[in-house]
Amino acid sequence: SPLIHARASNTSYTNSNGLKFNHFDASLPNVTLLATGGTIAGTSDDKTATAGYKSGALGINQILSKIPEVYDIANVNAVQFDNVNSGDISSSLLLNLTHTLQKTVCDDPTISGAVITHGTDTLEESAFFIDATVNCGKPIVFVGSMRPSTAISADGPMNLLQGVTVAADKQAKDRGALVVLNDRIVSAFFATKTNANTMDTFKAYEQGSLGMIVSNTPYFFYPAVQPNAKHLADMEDVDSIPRVDILYAYEDMHSDSLHSAIKNGAKGIVIAGEGAGGISTDFGDAIDDVVSRTNVPVILSHRTVNGEVPTADITGDTAKTRIASGLYNPQQARVLLGLLLAEGKEFDEIRNVFGEATFA
Ligand SMILES: NC(=O)C[C@H](N)C(=O)O
């Protein structure tokens, strides 16, 4: 079968952009794989352990060595970008990732797409960031795992194989960034981690998945389409993302948290509001006071997993200081607000971008 050529071939190759491939077959598509760590690179001495293991312990070549089948699908340029638990992924790493993807994937006509391996805890934030900042139509596929590499029935190897397959697939183009785990293909714009422990965790509850993978064959339910609300952020000349803090709302919430966030340097605030963006009257008064003095934009989001914060609740004077997040959950709203501030957008422009994701 022609499919075993690249796997069998030990021919290494460096393309004109300096990207290295360990196994190369000119008849196959080329995919860049940027590894950042997480459970997919995690290890434990106990094969039954799906907790208490070490994240980011294996290098990407050690992970790939267990799935030579990837070389039947694509030539893989594997790069160890970082090797951390995803709680340690920073906006400066993401900016670097954006600039790298632009140069080595978008601007290189020989590369079909990219795969990012990532811890699942914050994968949705990074995938949302890249979805907004890298937009050349080539698939950028985020992959992680819920079981460490040493566990019985580890999910990482299959997820990675499927991720490379999707990144190499022409049908995956023009859909924005994608999340591939547990045999599902989900839009990075809508994906969220819904379960802290189990493999069926990444979901877009209202929007559903874009497709499925069976026997390493991706199937997309619909032709390529992009979300209506999506804002494309131009990061070409940006070298840092302003700090945005998330404050969680609850009964008895104290406005001290707002004052200290701003005092400590937050340039934007997202509230994980009760229901459709609810906060106490006192906290609302504190927002009005602080925003009119500092001009720091405050986005009201929702601590519920689903639903939207409509603009209908934010009228009159409160509309001068508060912006409804619409569909964006707090972690998405934080990433988006950081990108908008980095682009130098003012209050009204920020409101318009969030307004694209509000219905009422
Ligand atoms: N499943 C995982 O990848 C969780 C891990 N703590 C991480 O996010 O890096």
Side-chain angles (χ1 to χ4, degrees):
S1 147
L3 285 182
I4 52 173
H5 285 172
R7 199 194 314 184
S9 135
N10 276 323
T11 317
S12 61
Y13 173 76
T14 304
N15 82 358
S16 55
N17 215 349
L19 306 184
K20 290 193 177 60
F21 299 85
N22 289 337
H23 301 259
F24 195 82
D25 178 333
S27 69
L28 295 177
N30 302 328
V31 168
T32 287
L33 168 57
L34 302 170
T36 72
T39 297
I40 194 165
T43 58
S44 166
D45 294 335
D46 178 356
K47 287 173 77 178
T48 67
T50 57
Y53 53 84
K54 185 173 176 349
S55 268
L58 292 183
I60 189 59
N61 287 321
Q62 287 171 290
I63 299 171
L64 282 169
S65 68
K66 294 187 189 140
I67 44 167
E69 291 78 5
V70 290
Y71 305 116
D72 300 344
I73 306 294
N75 302 312
V76 179
N77 159 243
V79 176
Q80 193 73 52
F81 207 72
D82 207 334
N83 212 355
V84 293
N85 190 55
S86 69
D88 290 329
I89 298 280
S90 63
S91 58
S92 65
L93 181 135
L94 293 177
L95 255 189
N96 187 0
L97 190 57
T98 291
H99 294 147
T100 302
L101 288 166
Q102 189 62 46
K103 186 162 158 266
T104 62
V105 179
C106 290
D107 298 347
D108 186 331
T110 70
I111 303 293
S112 299
V115 175
I116 321 288
T117 60
H118 198 292
T120 58
D121 291 345
T122 66
L123 186 148
E124 67 199 76
E125 294 175 50
S126 297
F128 185 89
F129 185 109
I130 296 300
D131 183 59
T133 59
V134 182
N135 275 285
C136 57
K138 294 184 184 179
I140 311 290
V141 182
F142 279 76
V143 164
S145 80
M146 293 301 285
R147 294 178 177 166
S149 68
T150 42
I152 297 166
S153 297
D155 53 332
M158 185 62 108
N159 290 344
L160 180 53
L161 174 67
Q162 293 180 346
V164 171
T165 304
V166 171
D169 190 337
K170 287 194 177 67
Q171 291 184 85
K173 287 167 78 170
D174 300 320
R175 295 175 187 273
L178 302 168
V179 176
V180 169
L181 263 97
N182 201 39
D183 302 333
R184 303 285 189 334
I185 307 164
V186 185
S187 156
F189 185 83
F190 292 118
T192 194
K193 188 176 187 180
T194 65
N195 190 300
N197 317 100
T198 64
M199 295 189 297
D200 58 333
T201 186
F202 281 95
K203 295 207 166 86
Y205 267 121
E206 299 291 349
Q207 300 82 12
S209 53
L210 301 183
M212 284 175 61
I213 304 154
V214 175
S215 285
N216 209 34
T217 307
Y219 180 82
F220 286 94
F221 302 131
Y222 310 103
V225 71
Q226 296 274 346
N228 283 330
K230 188 156 151 181
H231 170 76
L232 305 183
D234 182 358
M235 291 294 110
E236 192 178 343
D237 299 321
V238 170
D239 56 16
S240 69
I241 305 288
R243 169 173 160 180
V244 175
D245 285 2
I246 299 175
L247 304 177
Y248 204 94
Y250 47 88
E251 293 175 351
D252 287 342
M253 186 189 197
H254 207 282
S255 57
D256 283 1
S257 57
L258 178 66
H259 295 297
S260 78
I262 290 175
K263 201 173 91 209
N264 287 318
K267 299 288 181 274
I269 301 285
V270 172
I271 313 280
E274 303 137 358
I279 40 172
S280 69
T281 307
D282 281 353
F283 200 89
D285 290 345
I287 292 176
D288 297 341
D289 169 48
V290 161
V291 175
S292 51
R293 284 190 288 108
T294 63
N295 256 337
V296 171
V298 174
I299 312 291
L300 290 181
S301 182
H302 47 86
R303 66 182 197 185
T304 59
V305 177
N306 292 306
E308 72 135 353
V309 175
T311 43
D313 291 337
I314 303 174
T315 50
D317 280 350
T318 61
K320 292 188 195 135
T321 59
R322 310 174 200 181
I323 294 171
S325 76
L327 277 175
Y328 298 112
N329 69 26
Q331 56 272 33
Q332 292 168 334
R334 182 193 70 86
V335 172
L336 181 58
L337 182 55
L339 293 172
L340 293 168
L341 291 169
E343 288 185 297
K345 298 273 195 268
E346 305 281 347
F347 189 88
D348 286 345
E349 296 170 288
I350 292 169
R351 195 213 317 270
N352 289 344
V353 170
F354 280 92
E356 295 292 321
T358 64
F359 324 150

